[in-house]
Amino acid sequence: MKLKKFSLSIIIAIIILTINFSPITYAASSDWVQDAFDAANSFLKDKEVEDNLGGVIGTLLTEFKNIIKGLNIVLLVLLTALSAVALAVVGVKYIMAGDSPGNKENAKKSLHTVFIGMVYGFGAYVIWSFSMGIVNLIIQAFAQG
């Protein structure tokens, strides 16, 4: 038993010494790494990236971006309006239930259903936004290549 504890303490000491005395290396920065971070930053901040594309492909890509932005706005407005109306209806049902425990329980179940629907709806919107961003990046990469 003492041999196991001694062996374990030796192994831990070797690991600690190896970690402490290992040289620290940093990745060399290059232009493509900086470009990748700049592209990710502009994507997250929704900045317009300069299009070096001309002609028909550049026009189609610009139209595609405008359509996607319009669809995103329409989907978000519809989802928000639908959620607000559903929450208002459930709130009125809860208020109208009065002292009836059965009606209040039904209103609570409806509220739970509305919240699940909102999670699905807003989750689908986020997935839609990310997938359209990826599609846009792929089209832009093929158009430049």
Side-chain angles (χ1 to χ4, degrees), residues 33-52:
V33 174
Q34 187 61 40
D35 292 342
F37 280 114
D38 290 341
N41 188 23
S42 66
F43 175 74
L44 291 174
K45 291 185 178 179
D46 197 27
K47 290 182 182 174
E48 287 296 323
V49 180
E50 290 181 25
D51 287 333
N52 295 331

mmCIF file of all heavy atoms in Angstrom, residues 33-52:
data_model
loop_
_atom_site.group_PDB
_atom_site.id
_atom_site.type_symbol
_atom_site.label_atom_id
_atom_site.label_comp_id
_atom_site.label_asym_id
_atom_site.label_seq_id
_atom_site.Cartn_x
_atom_site.Cartn_y
_atom_site.Cartn_z
ATOM 1 N N VAL A 33 -4.640 34.222 -40.752
ATOM 2 C CA VAL A 33 -5.261 34.115 -39.437
ATOM 3 C C VAL A 33 -5.966 35.423 -39.086
ATOM 4 O O VAL A 33 -7.105 35.436 -38.628
ATOM 5 C CB VAL A 33 -4.201 33.752 -38.370
ATOM 6 C CG1 VAL A 33 -4.811 33.780 -36.979
ATOM 7 C CG2 VAL A 33 -3.594 32.393 -38.656
ATOM 8 N N GLN A 34 -5.282 36.529 -39.340
ATOM 9 C CA GLN A 34 -5.878 37.835 -39.069
ATOM 10 C C GLN A 34 -7.107 38.065 -39.947
ATOM 11 O O GLN A 34 -8.122 38.601 -39.488
ATOM 12 C CB GLN A 34 -4.850 38.951 -39.289
ATOM 13 C CG GLN A 34 -5.345 40.315 -38.861
ATOM 14 C CD GLN A 34 -5.672 40.391 -37.378
ATOM 15 O OE1 GLN A 34 -4.958 39.836 -36.550
ATOM 16 N NE2 GLN A 34 -6.766 41.042 -37.049
ATOM 17 N N ASP A 35 -7.020 37.646 -41.215
ATOM 18 C CA ASP A 35 -8.169 37.778 -42.106
ATOM 19 C C ASP A 35 -9.357 36.965 -41.607
ATOM 20 O O ASP A 35 -10.506 37.409 -41.687
ATOM 21 C CB ASP A 35 -7.792 37.339 -43.521
ATOM 22 C CG ASP A 35 -6.810 38.285 -44.181
ATOM 23 O OD1 ASP A 35 -6.684 39.432 -43.697
ATOM 24 O OD2 ASP A 35 -6.171 37.869 -45.174
ATOM 25 N N ALA A 36 -9.078 35.767 -41.090
ATOM 26 C CA ALA A 36 -10.163 34.921 -40.582
ATOM 27 C C ALA A 36 -10.830 35.567 -39.373
ATOM 28 O O ALA A 36 -12.060 35.597 -39.265
ATOM 29 C CB ALA A 36 -9.623 33.538 -40.223
ATOM 30 N N PHE A 37 -10.009 36.118 -38.460
ATOM 31 C CA PHE A 37 -10.593 36.781 -37.292
ATOM 32 C C PHE A 37 -11.354 38.043 -37.690
ATOM 33 O O PHE A 37 -12.400 38.344 -37.122
ATOM 34 C CB PHE A 37 -9.511 37.114 -36.263
ATOM 35 C CG PHE A 37 -9.116 35.937 -35.419
ATOM 36 C CD1 PHE A 37 -7.848 35.398 -35.505
ATOM 37 C CD2 PHE A 37 -10.013 35.377 -34.520
ATOM 38 C CE1 PHE A 37 -7.484 34.319 -34.724
ATOM 39 C CE2 PHE A 37 -9.660 34.299 -33.738
ATOM 40 C CZ PHE A 37 -8.397 33.766 -33.845
ATOM 41 N N ASP A 38 -10.840 38.777 -38.653
ATOM 42 C CA ASP A 38 -11.551 39.974 -39.122
ATOM 43 C C ASP A 38 -12.886 39.611 -39.760
ATOM 44 O O ASP A 38 -13.890 40.291 -39.557
ATOM 45 C CB ASP A 38 -10.687 40.753 -40.112
ATOM 46 C CG ASP A 38 -9.499 41.414 -39.443
ATOM 47 O OD1 ASP A 38 -9.524 41.585 -38.204
ATOM 48 O OD2 ASP A 38 -8.545 41.756 -40.170
ATOM 49 N N ALA A 39 -12.893 38.517 -40.548
ATOM 50 C CA ALA A 39 -14.138 38.080 -41.186
ATOM 51 C C ALA A 39 -15.156 37.630 -40.142
ATOM 52 O O ALA A 39 -16.344 37.949 -40.240
ATOM 53 C CB ALA A 39 -13.862 36.952 -42.173
ATOM 54 N N ALA A 40 -14.692 36.889 -39.130
ATOM 55 C CA ALA A 40 -15.602 36.449 -38.077
ATOM 56 C C ALA A 40 -16.141 37.640 -37.294
ATOM 57 O O ALA A 40 -17.326 37.693 -36.955
ATOM 58 C CB ALA A 40 -14.885 35.476 -37.139
ATOM 59 N N ASN A 41 -15.276 38.613 -37.033
ATOM 60 C CA ASN A 41 -15.698 39.805 -36.299
ATOM 61 C C ASN A 41 -16.729 40.598 -37.093
ATOM 62 O O ASN A 41 -17.741 41.036 -36.554
ATOM 63 C CB ASN A 41 -14.477 40.668 -35.981
ATOM 64 C CG ASN A 41 -14.814 41.805 -35.053
ATOM 65 O OD1 ASN A 41 -15.791 41.743 -34.310
ATOM 66 N ND2 ASN A 41 -14.008 42.832 -35.079
ATOM 67 N N SER A 42 -16.496 40.760 -38.385
ATOM 68 C CA SER A 42 -17.456 41.506 -39.193
ATOM 69 C C SER A 42 -18.771 40.750 -39.343
ATOM 70 O O SER A 42 -19.835 41.348 -39.406
ATOM 71 C CB SER A 42 -16.868 41.825 -40.565
ATOM 72 O OG SER A 42 -16.676 40.645 -41.308
ATOM 73 N N PHE A 43 -18.703 39.405 -39.362
ATOM 74 C CA PHE A 43 -19.924 38.607 -39.449
ATOM 75 C C PHE A 43 -20.742 38.750 -38.168
ATOM 76 O O PHE A 43 -21.950 38.904 -38.209
ATOM 77 C CB PHE A 43 -19.572 37.136 -39.692
ATOM 78 C CG PHE A 43 -20.766 36.223 -39.688
ATOM 79 C CD1 PHE A 43 -21.643 36.212 -40.752
ATOM 80 C CD2 PHE A 43 -21.007 35.383 -38.623
ATOM 81 C CE1 PHE A 43 -22.744 35.381 -40.759
ATOM 82 C CE2 PHE A 43 -22.096 34.549 -38.615
ATOM 83 C CZ PHE A 43 -22.973 34.550 -39.684
ATOM 84 N N LEU A 44 -20.050 38.705 -37.016
ATOM 85 C CA LEU A 44 -20.767 38.805 -35.754
ATOM 86 C C LEU A 44 -21.338 40.196 -35.525
ATOM 87 O O LEU A 44 -22.382 40.360 -34.911
ATOM 88 C CB LEU A 44 -19.845 38.420 -34.599
ATOM 89 C CG LEU A 44 -19.458 36.944 -34.549
ATOM 90 C CD1 LEU A 44 -18.441 36.700 -33.454
ATOM 91 C CD2 LEU A 44 -20.677 36.074 -34.347
ATOM 92 N N LYS A 45 -20.654 41.216 -36.021
ATOM 93 C CA LYS A 45 -21.137 42.582 -35.849
ATOM 94 C C LYS A 45 -22.038 43.015 -36.994
ATOM 95 O O LYS A 45 -22.489 44.142 -37.026
ATOM 96 C CB LYS A 45 -19.957 43.537 -35.710
ATOM 97 C CG LYS A 45 -19.208 43.354 -34.423
ATOM 98 C CD LYS A 45 -18.136 44.378 -34.263
ATOM 99 C CE LYS A 45 -17.440 44.198 -32.923
ATOM 100 N NZ LYS A 45 -16.368 45.167 -32.746
ATOM 101 N N ASP A 46 -22.277 42.125 -37.949
ATOM 102 C CA ASP A 46 -23.152 42.354 -39.094
ATOM 103 C C ASP A 46 -22.697 43.556 -39.918
ATOM 104 O O ASP A 46 -23.501 44.355 -40.381
ATOM 105 C CB ASP A 46 -24.596 42.535 -38.639
ATOM 106 C CG ASP A 46 -25.580 42.352 -39.797
ATOM 107 O OD1 ASP A 46 -25.248 41.619 -40.745
ATOM 108 O OD2 ASP A 46 -26.658 42.952 -39.749
ATOM 109 N N LYS A 47 -21.383 43.677 -40.059
ATOM 110 C CA LYS A 47 -20.854 44.725 -40.924
ATOM 111 C C LYS A 47 -20.885 44.237 -42.363
ATOM 112 O O LYS A 47 -20.804 43.059 -42.641
ATOM 113 C CB LYS A 47 -19.398 45.049 -40.562
ATOM 114 C CG LYS A 47 -19.212 45.746 -39.255
ATOM 115 C CD LYS A 47 -17.731 46.035 -39.056
ATOM 116 C CE LYS A 47 -17.465 46.687 -37.738
ATOM 117 N NZ LYS A 47 -16.026 46.838 -37.498
ATOM 118 N N GLU A 48 -20.989 45.174 -43.244
ATOM 119 C CA GLU A 48 -20.927 44.839 -44.649
ATOM 120 C C GLU A 48 -19.471 44.610 -45.040
ATOM 121 O O GLU A 48 -18.602 45.415 -44.752
ATOM 122 C CB GLU A 48 -21.517 45.956 -45.509
ATOM 123 C CG GLU A 48 -23.025 46.035 -45.435
ATOM 124 C CD GLU A 48 -23.703 44.809 -45.989
ATOM 125 O OE1 GLU A 48 -23.220 44.247 -46.981
ATOM 126 O OE2 GLU A 48 -24.713 44.400 -45.419
ATOM 127 N N VAL A 49 -19.218 43.490 -45.664
ATOM 128 C CA VAL A 49 -17.879 43.176 -46.141
ATOM 129 C C VAL A 49 -17.783 43.657 -47.573
ATOM 130 O O VAL A 49 -18.736 43.558 -48.348
ATOM 131 C CB VAL A 49 -17.626 41.652 -46.066
ATOM 132 C CG1 VAL A 49 -16.238 41.314 -46.556
ATOM 133 C CG2 VAL A 49 -17.835 41.162 -44.658
ATOM 134 N N GLU A 50 -16.642 44.196 -47.908
ATOM 135 C CA GLU A 50 -16.462 44.694 -49.266
ATOM 136 C C GLU A 50 -16.573 43.546 -50.257
ATOM 137 O O GLU A 50 -15.951 42.508 -50.100
ATOM 138 C CB GLU A 50 -15.082 45.336 -49.425
ATOM 139 C CG GLU A 50 -14.921 46.634 -48.702
ATOM 140 C CD GLU A 50 -13.542 47.223 -48.936
ATOM 141 O OE1 GLU A 50 -12.919 46.913 -49.967
ATOM 142 O OE2 GLU A 50 -13.088 47.990 -48.080
ATOM 143 N N ASP A 51 -17.369 43.744 -51.266
ATOM 144 C CA ASP A 51 -17.491 42.756 -52.323
ATOM 145 C C ASP A 51 -16.590 43.162 -53.466
ATOM 146 O O ASP A 51 -16.762 44.228 -54.049
ATOM 147 C CB ASP A 51 -18.943 42.656 -52.820
ATOM 148 C CG ASP A 51 -19.827 41.950 -51.811
ATOM 149 O OD1 ASP A 51 -19.291 41.130 -51.040
ATOM 150 O OD2 ASP A 51 -21.039 42.225 -51.799
ATOM 151 N N ASN A 52 -15.644 42.304 -53.775
ATOM 152 C CA ASN A 52 -14.769 42.549 -54.907
ATOM 153 C C ASN A 52 -15.308 41.863 -56.149
ATOM 154 O O ASN A 52 -14.590 41.684 -57.118
ATOM 155 C CB ASN A 52 -13.349 42.040 -54.594
ATOM 156 C CG ASN A 52 -12.723 42.816 -53.467
ATOM 157 O OD1 ASN A 52 -13.039 43.992 -53.276
ATOM 158 N ND2 ASN A 52 -11.856 42.177 -52.712
#
